[in-house]
Amino acid sequence: MSTDAYVHSIVQGVKGGPLLFVFHGTGGKEMQLLPLARNLLPGATVVAPRGDVSEMGAARFFRRLAEGRYDMVDLARATDKMKGFVQAHADARARTAGAEEIYGLGYSNGANILASVMLSAPELFSRVVLMHPLIPFVPEPQAGLARREVLITAGRHDPICPPDLTLRLEAYFRSQGATTELEWHEGGHELRPSEAEAARRFLSAVPVTGASR
């Protein structure tokens, strides 16, 4: 897969620093989370792809049939394509700068594609931040998630991502051996400063032994 499989932006970080992929929400573009990413993890090289699906003009990473009803065929397509994109950038970065850690951060639809990639190829990311993910199905067991690190952030009154599904996803990651944290706020689907602070602490923490690629 090519590093140009998606329209994307890159912000170069320091040599040997982490590589951070960020995935926007529905209707966002590749620039949506770049300022947040740079504040959360200074020195990281940030790669921000734009979703290649249009829903009435709003960019997404995969199609859906309705709110919370995914086009599972297109999700599989998008997951395979994104895996190739991430791997191509990781390989290119390793050749030129020797990046040791690869992280992911996604919001809403971006969190969903990031979660799907991690479920399919857990070796790609050592640490991910899933902001308001919605996984409306029970994933298959994935032994490769052991010693991965996951932060989920969510709103207790989110009308798009029901809290019970958030708790189910947290329980799933824990059951697979992933080091899992859950950060709640009292609002809905919006991002709040407490989430950004939790993500900053999580991404800047010393890596867990054995969790790197």
Side-chain angles (χ1 to χ4, degrees):
M1 182 68 69
S2 168
T3 57
D4 294 324
Y6 289 87
V7 174
H8 65 282
S9 291
I10 298 180
V11 177
Q12 295 293 340
V14 300
K15 185 176 181 179
L19 183 58
L20 173 62
F21 290 84
V22 296
F23 305 93
H24 63 78
T26 298
K29 291 188 178 180
E30 63 274 20
M31 299 299 292
Q32 185 184 43
L33 297 177
L34 276 179
L36 174 65
R38 294 297 288 160
N39 286 331
L40 294 181
L41 199 59
T45 291
V46 183
V47 181
R50 183 194 304 175
D52 60 351
V53 169
S54 176
E55 182 178 271
M56 295 184 291
R60 286 177 54 85
F61 290 100
F62 58 89
R63 296 183 178 89
R64 59 183 171 182
L65 305 176
E67 191 70 64
R69 290 183 57 208
Y70 296 166
D71 181 331
M72 299 302 290
V73 173
D74 195 58
L75 176 59
R77 172 206 64 84
T79 300
D80 285 343
K81 181 177 178 180
M82 189 60 74
K83 283 192 300 185
F85 176 80
V86 170
Q87 188 66 66
H89 278 274
D91 290 346
R93 177 71 176 172
R95 288 194 298 270
T96 60
E100 295 182 352
E101 296 291 334
I102 299 179
Y103 302 151
L105 181 149
Y107 165 62
S108 192
N109 180 241
N112 299 339
I113 188 62
L114 174 56
S116 186
V117 169
M118 195 177 190
L119 294 174
S120 179
E123 72 280 0
L124 285 180
F125 297 100
S126 57
R127 185 176 288 178
V128 301
V129 179
L130 305 175
M131 294 178 153
H132 301 258
L134 173 59
I135 305 300
F137 56 88
V138 179
E140 295 293 326
Q142 174 53 272
L145 289 170
R147 296 184 297 182
R148 303 294 100 178
E149 298 176 66
V150 181
L151 170 65
I152 301 171
T153 71
R156 293 191 186 275
H157 304 284
D158 192 330
I160 296 175
C161 303
D164 61 319
L165 293 188
T166 299
L167 291 170
R168 188 174 74 182
L169 183 63
E170 177 201 22
Y172 167 79
F173 279 120
R174 290 188 185 279
S175 73
Q176 303 307 303
T179 300
T180 309
E181 300 178 25
L182 177 56
E183 175 76 17
W184 291 102
H185 65 64
E186 296 302 320
H189 200 60
E190 75 281 2
L191 294 179
R192 291 195 173 183
S194 60
E195 293 177 83
E197 176 58 23
R200 184 195 64 76
R201 292 194 307 266
F202 178 79
L203 291 173
S204 60
V206 175
V208 173
T209 301
S212 60
R213 296 176 70 247

